[in-house]
Amino acid sequence: MPVSSAKERIDELHTLIARYRDAYYNQDQTLISDAEYDQLERELKELEALHPELAENSPASGVGSAAGDVFDPVKHLERMLSLDNAFDKEEFLAWSERVGGGPFLCEPKIDGLAVSLTYENGVLVKAATRGDGEVGEDVTQNVLTIASIPHELTGNDIPELVEVRGEVFFELADFAKLNAGIVASGGKPFANPRNSASGSLRQKDSAVSASRPLKMLVHGFGVWQPEIKTQSEVYKALKAFGMPTTSRFEVFSDAEGALGFIESLKESRHSIEHEIDGVVIKVDELARQRELGSTSRAPRWAIAYKYPPEQVNTKLLDIKVSIGRTGRATPFAVLAPVTVAGSEVEFATLHNQDQVKAKGILDW
Ligand code: IVH
């Protein structure tokens, strides 16, 4: 591709990525699927690799989206990073080679929103969203309403200062109940559990957050210098402090073991009580994590193995039109019920004619 067209496409990708990130992180809206978004970031990275002179100010080297102005800003004590992705076995094995092999700790990648909790002398003093990784939003009052998060740490040897990080999310059953309630009272339901968790946590009025059964699982730390050697022992220590940690992690000596975990979780992913979008694989030894370090965007010692989006075929039975309160007509599809991503689907939104053609919807 000539440099001028590459520049044009890179500019276009910057605009699209900024728009999608703002919608996702600041407005709790999903304008495209995660897989389509990942593909845009990937295209940008590939173009930048071919044209390094065009890679300045790239969103590909950044994290999240700058926080809005509803909440007070919080400067993170240590940057909150994102994760690089592997989309297939080869990409995972290449990463494993790069980091020098196992032992690896594997755990579900929770589809929620990243939050950091700061405890001073064992007391929760600050909770913040990730924002752009440098500055997040102060959601302390709302986080204090989440039942599973301790206001005070328990146990012995409580550090003077510890910052833990994790995901806030909805369990699927709670999400379904919440949406049913919203629909019953004439409101607009959330599109998915992740958006509903973000929308429920980022409320001006913490009484609204308190009424939503949010959960949290912690999966790492920022500022803290524990006398501990491995990620798995970190989880043990955090659990002893009373923090909610996943019981679904396993340590494997090599990449083959990790691949087995990835495959088996793929099969059982819908029996988990919350949504996951893959597996996070971490070098287990903290000394090696420190040696490997991070890029501006992500640690080199961890990777997210993303599952491909699930696709199924079914029969289009009818197209109906719903009329909204403002009189707007929205067509939707009535489908022969089919199970996808663990849920039975009977209705689907419809897009314009080009989308219908592109998706190969046929006359029966
Ligand atoms: S470890 C330095 N473990 O996924 C970042 N992240 O897409 C280390 N996430 O920013 C993160 N589940 O917010 C880690 N088990 C898990 C996770 C997890 C979900 C989030 C995290 C990260 C994002 C990247």
Side-chain angles (χ1 to χ4, degrees):
M1 189 188 275
V3 177
S4 58
S5 345
K7 173 151 185 7
E8 229 170 76
R9 181 61 184 154
I10 285 176
D11 286 347
E12 195 175 11
L13 287 167
H14 282 194
T15 311
L16 287 174
I17 288 172
R19 183 185 308 153
Y20 295 141
R21 279 195 188 175
D22 180 56
Y24 186 82
Y25 290 110
N26 295 330
Q27 292 160 45
D28 308 321
Q29 281 177 23
T30 308
L31 303 180
I32 55 168
S33 70
D34 286 359
E36 286 166 313
Y37 176 80
D38 286 342
Q39 181 50 39
L40 292 178
E41 274 204 355
R42 169 168 282 229
E43 184 186 348
L44 179 60
K45 277 191 194 156
E46 281 168 7
L47 279 174
E48 286 176 353
L50 290 172
H51 304 278
E53 72 283 8
L54 301 176
E56 258 174 46
N57 299 323
S58 168
S61 55
V63 164
S65 183
D69 52 13
V70 176
F71 297 93
D72 288 339
V74 179
K75 175 121 176 53
H76 296 302
L77 299 174
E78 218 169 80
R79 261 177 74 80
M80 280 182 85
L81 299 172
S82 185
L83 284 170
D84 285 334
N85 296 322
F87 293 97
D88 56 36
K89 192 175 158 180
E90 285 64 42
E91 288 180 359
F92 169 69
L93 289 174
W95 171 80
S96 163
E97 282 274 300
R98 275 201 304 281
V99 299
F104 294 125
L105 178 142
C106 300
E107 64 188 86
K109 183 170 188 307
I110 305 156
D111 201 7
L113 83 148
V115 167
S116 124
L117 308 175
T118 304
Y119 287 86
E120 276 175 19
N121 298 314
V123 177
L124 178 61
V125 291
K126 192 68 82 192
T129 62
R130 188 174 60 182
D132 63 3
E134 297 272 0
V135 177
E137 298 163 316
D138 187 337
V139 287
T140 313
Q141 290 314 313
N142 299 356
V143 160
L144 284 168
T145 71
I146 301 179
S148 57
I149 298 178
H151 295 192
E152 283 190 37
L153 300 180
T154 54
N156 304 319
D157 301 326
I158 307 271
E160 253 173 62
L161 179 66
V162 58
E163 190 202 352
V164 291
R165 282 135 185 220
E167 289 315 281
V168 169
F169 60 93
F170 264 119
E171 290 189 359
L172 289 163
D174 290 331
F175 165 68
K177 247 187 262 165
L178 171 68
N179 255 1
I182 292 176
V183 171
S185 56
K188 187 166 174 262
F190 288 107
N192 56 51
R194 193 262 167 210
N195 287 2
S196 72
S198 179
S200 299
L201 187 69
R202 298 168 67 249
Q203 289 280 339
K204 239 348 222 172
D205 178 1
S206 59
V208 179
S209 299
S211 72
R212 311 258 171 101
L214 288 161
K215 299 265 155 55
M216 183 168 183
L217 283 174
V218 298
H219 51 57
F221 62 92
V223 174
W224 185 30
Q225 276 167 350
E227 299 281 314
I228 286 177
K229 291 201 164 49
T230 62
Q231 183 83 19
S232 27
E233 286 168 32
V234 166
Y235 291 170
K236 221 198 233 169
L238 293 178
K239 196 170 175 196
F241 288 153
M243 301 297 312
T245 51
T246 182
S247 53
R248 288 199 167 86
F249 75 84
E250 274 184 67
V251 179
F252 298 94
S253 58
D254 58 17
E256 280 308 312
L259 282 170
F261 182 94
I262 291 167
E263 267 315 300
S264 96
L265 198 68
K266 190 172 169 195
E267 297 311 312
S268 60
R269 61 190 282 200
H270 300 306
S271 58
I272 297 184
E273 47 294 326
H274 55 79
E275 278 203 334
I276 69 165
D277 57 345
V279 171
V280 182
I281 305 101
K282 300 172 182 175
V283 167
D284 195 35
E285 282 169 41
L286 299 187
R288 281 184 56 215
Q289 290 187 3
R290 285 190 287 269
E291 258 167 47
L292 287 159
S294 307
T295 66
S296 63
R297 189 193 120 82
R300 293 191 191 86
W301 48 264
I303 197 151
Y305 190 106
K306 290 279 198 81
Y307 292 131
E310 289 174 78
Q311 289 192 6
V312 290
N313 294 320
T314 187
K315 196 166 158 183
L316 176 64
L317 300 177
D318 200 358
I319 291 179
K320 293 196 169 165
V321 178
S322 74
I323 308 290
R325 263 183 304 174
T326 57
R328 194 172 143 161
T330 311
F332 64 96
V334 183
L335 308 169
V338 62
T339 301
V340 59
S343 308
E344 186 166 277
V345 176
E346 275 183 87
F347 305 105
T349 52
L350 285 172
H351 301 276
N352 60 35
Q353 192 62 34
D354 292 341
Q355 284 282 329
V356 170
K357 275 201 196 120
K359 290 187 189 293
I361 295 169
L362 305 172
D363 268 345
W364 201 258

